[in-house]
Amino acid sequence: MLGRTAHGLFWMFRYLERAENTARLLDAGLRMAVTRDLATAEEEWRSVIEAFGLRDAYEAKHGTYAGYQAWNFILRDPDNPASVLRMMGDTRTNARAVRSAITSELWEVVNESWMSIRDALAKPVGQGSVGEVVALVRRAGTLAHGAMHGSLLRNEGFHFARAGTLIERADCVARSLDLKYYLLLPSLSYVGSSLDRGQWENVLRSVSGDSAFRWLNAGEIDARAIVEFLVLDERFPRSLAFCHSALRDELAALARLHGREGESNALMRESDMHMANLTIETVFEQGLHEFLVDFMRTNSQIAAAIGEDYRFLR
Amino acid sequence: MAEPVSAFDEMYAEDGSIRPAYEGYCEWQEAQETAWLRRKHKDAETNFRKTGITFNVYGAEEAEERLIPFDMVPRIITSAEWRKLTRGIEQRVSALNAFIYDLYHRQEIIRAGRVPERLFRGNAAWLQEMVGFTPPGGVYTHIVGVDLVRTGPDDFFVLEDNARTPSGVSYMLENRETMMAMFPELFSQVRVETVSDYPRRLARSLAACAPKGCADKPNVAVLTPGIYNSAYFEHAFLADQMGAELVEGSDLRVKDGRVQMRCTKGYEPVDVIYRRVDDEFLDPLTFNPDSVLGVPGIMDVYRSGGITIANAPGAGICDDKAIYSFMPEIVEFYTGEKPLLPNVETWRCSDADSLAYVLDNLEELVVKEVHGSGGYGMLIGPTSSKREIAEFRKKLEAKPDNYIAQPTLSLSTCPIFTQKGLAPRHVDLRPFVLVSPDGIDVTPGGLTRVALKKGSLVVNSSQGGGTKDTWVLKE
């Protein structure tokens, strides 16, 4: 397979995952905002914008954090380089570039999703339809993954697509956790309050983990247990542990196909060893924020190493 | 707009009866509900949009992707008609190949005084680098699209030869797929020759042209300028269908005397490259130094026999309309036979008498740039305003060598499906031809382009034309 094709598949799925996670986080932001009074809602939109690293771009344009402005900025603003519209466009552009390496099922769902999202975002999105747009984006991810699993040959292309998904997902989940930890709570005195619990519940919801968590914990919401679930529970497909365990398998499969291990496998092994010895106690001892920053750094180092190992670019 | 009188109608004879080619189709069509057909027409468009079968329009904002409109009434050719066409095409394409070989070798045809030397001397597509070199298998025009028009029952003319990088074959294939998906029962009533094996034929034909000494199974790649090229969809489609790699210039480099592609495992040699970039961009070391679309040094590898380039560099000279005007002589010279498929009558404006005639009759003629393509830079006399004609006259007088002129042909019509029922529109036909040392292979069918505007003779997709499925009936 061409290095450029591997690169295209990897990024096609990274952008798709990023669009989907952005929509999920936006969904969580919406839920938080509608359950708050106006002033608190503004604060929460500020946090959401900040979580996306968009504060400067946003404030260059808007003076206030009204929900309508915020979600339109996130979804479709041309001044937002990471808008959902842009990322869906990038997903499709990459799919087009690797058109001969993906099945028509996969191409068609990506193309159709892009068309419907583009149409839905052709005009500013009002209160009544923002939920539908978010659902469209989430469905785009579901359809593409379904088409991929159901039709794509299990050759290296499949593993690059999966690796892109998992790298991006791990990054997004870590980012959401960090956001909650750092930005959402007005002050430490709220820890354990009903506001705190509500926010944790929304973090769970944003990764579609609320019902799974309830099954496992008999309906109780507890910050520590949620962190443990999202960081360490390998059964949950959007936990950090799951993402890295699955990523390890993908990278191992690539190394087998290529008959040699690269820098990405070495980094992965290091990260594995670190994760294997981890308990929720050690995470909190180190500090959740510090742990997450470390994790995100390793994650992006692995991503860069994959590109080097498999000659993504000249 | 001047509607040409009494154009040949592919479906209906003069007395209103249905021509034999269309009997089966019309019988089926009359049994269908019009409302249902209308719905199907919409479905077809949705399907094309969904599958992303689009072409990009240069100059339009963000390289806008457009659909080429599809019309669901097929253009039908009987097997007897097709046999005649095939013989004519084979004769013509084989003469083209012999001609290009000759031009780059002994130039017998010029020595014999049958065509003038200036034909290639002043031709931008002429490549000095090809002189004395014979491509692997002796093939120059691996893939040819011959544009045909029809004016009467037995009157097919060649309008143009496309030996550079003819496009449109993906539409031929997708049009058939769409028709078969929409009307499966129709294909059990009317027996139509298959076109779907074209990619397999193409792959075989290209492999048969591999350079000597390459691996048992040649590595074939399609070279595209990239996703913003107007025909990118087709490049990806053909690579996909052939199971070949779709490469861009940046994926390739010359290493150890071979052209190699950057793969995840390292560099792998390419044996045959079906290139969809023009000569000029192929090798920045030999041609345009600013080009990033090609591969530095590929021409050296080519000349040392390390790779097959299809179509051969320099083969594009026969797309030139000045050479076109000599095709009857060329066919006779190399085959010793009269051309089975005539040219459209053509005046070379380089010739003083012809120029005088053309200038006197601009209102009735179609004047084309010798190197132009795609309906650009041309004058269609009968549909142009006095001012347009006056402006064109100045250009023509300034550079007569740059133009040829042809009569406004009464192109045949084939009905299209409109909201009000069937309506005749002018069509042309581009069959696709594959050339290898094993022979010449004409796929039974082709791309029928149709002018969607009433009376219009312009069928180019860039000028608002559409396409139809093309049927060759089984015997």
Side-chain angles (χ1 to χ4, degrees):
Chain A
M1 168 170 287
L2 291 175
R4 184 174 50 80
T5 307
H7 176 253
L9 283 163
F10 184 79
W11 277 99
M12 170 185 167
F13 278 90
R14 278 200 78 161
Y15 283 125
L16 179 70
E17 189 67 22
R18 201 178 288 177
E20 188 186 335
N21 280 288
T22 302
R24 286 170 177 278
L25 202 51
L26 174 58
D27 203 21
L30 277 167
R31 279 174 180 280
M32 285 188 266
V34 297
T35 52
R36 300 277 162 262
D37 62 76
L38 219 55
T40 332
E42 287 237 340
E43 273 314 299
E44 268 153 7
W45 282 116
R46 188 197 307 280
S47 310
V48 171
I49 291 286
E50 191 131 0
F52 289 122
L54 293 174
R55 186 173 178 162
D56 292 348
Y58 182 89
E59 288 184 356
K61 187 147 189 162
H62 301 294
T64 58
Y65 279 92
Y68 175 84
Q69 284 170 2
W71 72 63
N72 274 296
F73 191 79
I74 291 164
L75 287 172
R76 60 182 295 279
D77 199 303
D79 293 329
N80 172 8
S83 72
V84 166
L85 183 58
R86 178 83 71 93
M87 283 184 289
M88 285 308 299
D90 288 343
T91 304
R92 180 177 180 271
T93 300
N94 276 288
R96 231 165 101 78
V98 299
R99 176 63 191 84
S100 59
I102 58 177
T103 56
S104 44
E105 276 97 326
L106 179 48
W107 160 250
E108 281 174 27
V109 296
V110 169
N111 192 41
E112 277 186 279
S113 297
W114 175 76
M115 287 190 291
S116 57
I117 290 165
R118 180 197 54 183
D119 293 348
L121 292 176
K123 288 197 299 256
V125 180
Q127 184 116 34
S129 50
V130 60
E132 280 165 44
V133 175
V134 165
L136 267 182
V137 180
R138 289 171 62 151
R139 184 151 57 241
T142 304
L143 289 173
H145 291 300
M148 178 181 81
H149 280 277
S151 70
L152 205 62
L153 191 64
R154 265 37 173 194
N155 62 2
E156 52 179 325
F158 180 85
H159 303 302
F160 287 119
R162 284 289 293 157
T165 301
L166 294 162
I167 288 270
E168 187 64 35
R169 185 177 293 170
D171 185 70
C172 290
V173 172
R175 207 172 285 275
S176 309
L177 275 170
D178 197 37
L179 158 79
K180 160 66 185 114
Y181 189 73
Y182 235 64
L183 299 170
L184 289 184
L185 278 184
S187 92
L188 274 179
S189 61
Y190 284 89
V191 173
S193 69
S194 67
L195 174 60
D196 186 36
R197 272 200 304 281
Q199 288 177 347
W200 277 114
E201 201 166 359
N202 277 317
V203 171
L204 272 178
R205 259 187 225 282
S206 77
V207 295
S208 294
D210 47 333
S211 49
F213 183 82
R214 279 196 304 270
W215 295 332
L216 294 169
N217 293 277
E220 282 303 314
I221 298 288
D222 159 69
R224 200 178 186 82
I226 290 175
V227 173
E228 186 168 15
F229 178 65
L230 291 182
V231 173
L232 292 173
D233 197 323
E234 276 203 33
R235 295 167 298 179
F236 180 58
R238 288 177 181 274
S239 76
L240 300 186
F242 175 92
C243 290
H244 266 207
S245 158
L247 181 62
R248 176 190 56 217
D249 293 348
E250 301 303 338
L251 295 183
L254 283 169
R256 267 199 308 282
L257 284 173
H258 285 252
R260 61 169 194 89
E261 295 210 334
E263 178 67 13
S264 55
N265 301 97
L267 285 169
M268 194 72 234
R269 214 177 352 260
E270 239 172 77
S271 165
D272 267 350
M273 262 153 52
H274 180 58
M275 291 289 278
N277 295 323
L278 216 57
T279 62
I280 195 62
E281 286 73 28
T282 49
V283 169
F284 277 111
E285 269 164 35
Q286 185 192 355
L288 181 59
H289 173 67
E290 287 71 18
F291 165 78
L292 292 170
V293 167
D294 260 6
F295 179 87
M296 286 187 271
R297 189 186 303 123
T298 307
N299 194 55
S300 75
Q301 280 166 350
I302 295 172
I306 295 172
E308 284 294 317
D309 287 346
Y310 299 103
R311 300 173 177 80
F312 278 7
L313 298 167
R314 179 137 42 187
Chain B
M1 190 156 288
E3 169 95 36
V5 277
S6 68
F8 177 83
D9 190 301
E10 301 277 344
M11 188 185 281
Y12 298 107
E14 289 75 16
D15 62 2
S17 64
I18 289 162
R19 293 192 197 277
Y22 282 84
E23 277 167 3
Y25 174 78
C26 287
E27 193 183 309
W28 172 86
Q29 210 236 23
E30 274 153 25
Q32 311 305 315
E33 292 262 355
T34 313
W36 180 77
L37 284 174
R38 245 181 239 146
R39 229 173 21 248
K40 284 287 174 187
H41 198 65
K42 276 224 171 73
D43 289 354
E45 189 183 306
T46 313
N47 181 54
F48 277 99
R49 179 90 45 212
K50 194 174 81 180
T51 51
I53 302 176
T54 57
F55 74 111
N56 297 345
V57 184
Y58 293 124
E61 203 174 329
E62 291 183 351
E64 181 195 351
E65 291 169 35
R66 277 194 212 160
L67 287 184
I68 297 184
F70 168 73
D71 176 70
M72 61 186 196
V73 182
R75 190 253 178 88
I76 309 177
I77 299 165
T78 64
S79 59
E81 285 168 343
W82 185 253
R83 266 199 308 279
K84 277 180 74 177
L85 286 180
T86 305
R87 277 201 301 275
I89 291 169
E90 284 170 354
Q91 180 199 47
R92 190 169 177 106
V93 169
S94 120
L96 273 176
N97 248 304
F99 172 62
I100 305 171
Y101 176 87
D102 188 28
L103 275 191
Y104 287 116
H105 291 82
R106 291 181 48 79
Q107 305 187 334
E108 308 275 6
I109 195 166
I110 291 165
R111 291 162 201 250
R114 300 293 291 275
V115 302
E117 190 168 359
R118 65 175 158 77
L119 259 197
F120 73 89
R121 282 275 173 237
N123 191 321
W126 166 262
L127 293 184
Q128 196 58 40
E129 291 77 9
M130 291 294 288
V131 172
F133 171 73
T134 307
V139 179
Y140 288 84
T141 59
H142 305 74
I143 299 114
V144 192
V146 180
D147 287 354
L148 300 173
V149 294
R150 184 182 204 178
T151 59
D154 290 314
D155 305 311
F156 281 92
F157 295 90
V158 178
L159 190 60
E160 226 173 278
D161 303 287
N162 297 281
R164 205 180 302 249
T165 47
S167 62
V169 75
S170 58
Y171 290 95
M172 168 179 88
L173 297 169
E174 282 296 334
N175 287 353
R176 177 64 56 82
E177 287 294 312
T178 303
M179 288 292 280
M180 289 178 70
M182 290 198 299
F183 311 119
E185 78 289 358
L186 172 56
F187 286 85
S188 58
Q189 286 181 31
V190 185
R191 310 297 290 165
V192 181
E193 295 279 0
T194 180
V195 291
S196 62
D197 58 353
Y198 175 84
R200 191 173 53 80
R201 291 171 170 210
L202 173 62
R204 276 194 191 169
S205 185
L206 288 171
C209 296
K212 284 200 183 80
C214 83
D216 291 349
K217 197 177 167 292
N219 231 345
V220 179
V222 178
L223 175 63
T224 174
I227 61 169
Y228 298 109
N229 182 267
S230 62
Y232 174 77
F233 168 78
E234 177 157 302
H235 308 159
F237 178 87
L238 286 175
D240 182 36
Q241 297 277 313
M242 287 198 289
E245 284 291 357
L246 178 67
V247 299
E248 295 180 12
S250 64
D251 299 321
L252 301 176
R253 74 173 194 199
V254 173
K255 205 177 158 220
D256 306 328
R258 301 289 312 270
V259 175
Q260 311 222 19
M261 49 188 177
R262 192 183 72 252
C263 295
T264 56
K265 288 181 182 170
Y267 279 83
E268 276 178 33
V270 183
D271 300 302
V272 180
I273 198 152
Y274 175 23
R275 50 82 176 239
R276 297 293 293 259
V277 305
D278 287 340
D279 287 355
E280 155 182 28
F281 304 107
L282 206 48
D283 185 347
L285 299 184
T286 306
F287 308 117
N288 182 353
D290 300 329
S291 170
V292 292
L293 301 178
V295 190
I298 190 175
M299 282 304 285
D300 291 338
V301 177
Y302 185 50
R303 277 183 308 222
S304 69
I307 192 166
T308 295
I309 301 178
N311 289 351
I317 43 173
C318 34
D319 287 21
D320 189 290
K321 292 183 184 71
I323 285 189
Y324 163 86
S325 71
F326 282 98
M327 275 310 284
E329 286 88 342
I330 290 170
V331 170
E332 258 194 271
F333 187 80
Y334 296 104
T335 65
E337 301 160 2
K338 288 270 172 220
L340 299 170
L341 279 173
N343 267 14
V344 176
E345 187 182 4
T346 303
W347 292 276
R348 302 177 195 116
C349 300
S350 53
D351 178 275
D353 291 348
S354 299
L355 179 64
Y357 174 82
V358 172
L359 288 170
D360 284 349
N361 294 280
L362 275 180
E363 294 78 7
E364 267 120 61
L365 298 172
V366 178
V367 190
K368 296 174 177 174
E369 267 184 45
V370 171
H371 311 297
S373 69
Y376 293 104
M378 62 192 285
L379 175 84
I380 302 175
T383 62
S384 299
S385 68
K386 282 212 159 58
R387 219 180 96 206
E388 284 166 333
I389 290 177
E391 277 167 19
F392 205 89
R393 181 186 299 276
K394 279 186 211 139
K395 289 204 268 185
L396 181 55
E397 281 168 338
K399 262 185 120 180
D401 284 11
N402 206 24
Y403 296 93
I404 55 143
Q406 294 170 334
T408 317
L409 286 188
S410 171
L411 303 190
S412 66
T413 62
C414 179
I416 63 166
F417 187 86
T418 73
Q419 286 304 313
K420 290 180 197 145
L422 298 184
R425 293 290 186 274
H426 296 293
V427 290
D428 77 354
L429 173 63
R430 175 179 290 180
F432 293 94
V433 190
L434 299 170
V435 186
S436 77
D438 304 338
I440 296 175
D441 178 19
V442 188
T443 301
L447 178 67
T448 292
R449 297 185 298 178
V450 53
L452 294 176
K453 263 188 271 168
K454 191 177 172 194
S456 170
L457 291 165
V458 182
V459 296
N460 288 90
S461 47
S462 50
Q463 317 269 312
T467 68
K468 284 169 167 293
D469 190 13
T470 308
W471 292 4
V472 172
L473 297 181
K474 283 190 177 159
E475 295 202 37

